[in-house]
Amino acid sequence: MATHEDFSEPVLEGEGESDYERYLNTVSLLALQKTPDEWVHRDELLFQTVHQSSELWLKLMWNDVEAATDHLTRDEIPAALRLLRRSTLCLTYATSQLDMLEHMSPWEYQEIRKVLGHGSGFDSPGWREIRRVVPPLGQAFHALREQAGLSLVDVYVQGREHEELYQLAEALIEMDERINFWRIRHYKVVARVIGDSVVGTQGTPVEVLGRLIHHVFFPELWRVRNELTALSQEQQKA
């Protein structure tokens, strides 16, 4: 006799009334934010939601970057490119979420700030991991470039003959640019909410965030643009 499966009943182990809740561990996930009776201001939910979800996107991002680097060490450029494009999109999402923080009243945020302790974005585990995994990615790219006997200028001038290396170089600078966009956006949010001439929760002047805007992971990929422009001008004069 045929039996019919009851799809309304969960089959996975864990907490929750459905397999959706159990697989995503929503009981624990949704308990990570303060409860209303713990809030000093109701926008603590907004503040925690933005930062916790950002950490999830950054976790996916740095794991993809690390995996992409492993692919490059095995000369698997297409597989690396797929992951790098996805990791850059993670940065886009993390950046766009910062818009939500500007929906807090600058005055009311001061109440939230009192309960942050010494908490600071400088201590973000996601950004700490990004700072760890991005340099080896650059090293893996340059190892492939050198293996091909190409300079950075060659990668761009002969880009049609070395399409994968060209695409890889562009993927790296796209990531660098997206990180830079996040720094700029973060600085502007902080300046808009607490001001640009004050000291942050960890004793760091907000103006330091402004200076970090100029930091890049792949300065050589930015400099090569100047070299290409100079080379083009020299060829025009010849």
Side-chain angles (χ1 to χ4, degrees):
M1 183 176 178
T3 58
H4 297 282
E5 184 174 356
D6 184 354
F7 290 101
S8 67
E9 290 297 321
V11 296
L12 300 178
E13 297 293 328
E15 292 184 279
E17 298 180 0
S18 68
D19 281 338
Y20 176 91
E21 296 169 282
R22 293 183 180 188
Y23 179 77
L24 293 177
N25 205 9
T26 58
V27 173
S28 297
L29 178 65
L30 299 178
L32 294 176
Q33 299 77 39
K34 283 187 174 183
T35 58
D37 60 328
E38 296 173 308
W39 295 339
V40 296
H41 187 280
R42 70 178 311 278
D43 279 355
E44 278 197 88
L45 180 58
L46 183 156
F47 191 83
Q48 286 191 311
T49 298
V50 168
H51 287 84
Q52 288 178 353
S53 56
S54 291
E55 289 297 336
L56 290 174
W57 284 120
L58 296 179
K59 180 178 182 179
L60 176 57
M61 186 266 188
W62 71 257
N63 272 278
D64 279 354
V65 170
E66 198 164 47
T69 302
D70 288 340
H71 280 302
L72 292 183
T73 61
R74 297 191 295 271
D75 200 14
E76 299 166 353
I77 298 179
L81 284 171
R82 178 171 57 83
L83 289 174
L84 291 177
R85 293 187 183 106
R86 192 169 78 178
S87 64
T88 298
L89 191 56
C90 290
L91 289 170
T92 300
Y93 290 147
T95 303
S96 65
Q97 291 181 157
L98 294 175
D99 292 355
M100 290 294 295
L101 298 178
E102 292 187 342
H103 288 269
M104 295 187 299
S105 158
W107 177 247
E108 293 172 357
Y109 171 70
Q110 295 299 327
E111 290 302 308
I112 299 174
R113 196 175 182 219
K114 294 174 184 177
V115 298
L116 297 180
H118 295 154
S120 166
F122 287 113
D123 295 326
S124 160
W127 284 106
R128 182 169 60 244
E129 290 299 315
I130 288 172
R131 291 192 294 270
R132 178 181 68 82
V133 302
V134 171
L137 173 66
Q139 293 166 10
F141 160 70
H142 286 299
L144 288 173
R145 174 184 60 75
E146 291 169 0
Q147 180 180 311
L150 301 172
S151 68
L152 266 183
V153 170
D154 294 334
V155 169
Y156 282 90
V157 173
Q158 304 172 33
R160 298 300 177 183
E161 291 77 38
H162 303 279
E163 185 68 33
E164 288 187 347
L165 280 175
Y166 169 78
Q167 292 293 339
L168 186 55
E170 286 297 279
L172 264 61
I173 203 164
E174 174 73 10
M175 178 180 296
D176 217 2
E177 186 176 48
R178 290 293 170 181
I179 291 173
N180 196 243
F181 285 166
W182 184 91
R183 292 185 191 278
I184 294 170
R185 191 72 189 94
H186 182 242
Y187 167 70
K188 296 305 293 184
V189 168
V190 172
R192 177 168 170 173
V193 175
I194 67 172
D196 60 2
S197 301
V198 300
V199 174
T201 48
Q202 205 173 63
T204 304
V206 171
E207 63 186 28
V208 170
L209 294 177
R211 292 199 292 271
L212 286 174
I213 288 172
H214 302 291
H215 176 271
V216 292
F217 282 99
F218 306 120
E220 70 281 6
L221 284 172
W222 295 98
R223 286 195 301 267
V224 76
R225 269 75 181 162
N226 298 319
E227 296 173 39
L228 292 169
T229 298
L231 178 60
S232 175
Q233 291 174 342
E234 289 174 7
Q235 289 179 345
Q236 291 175 29
K237 294 176 182 176

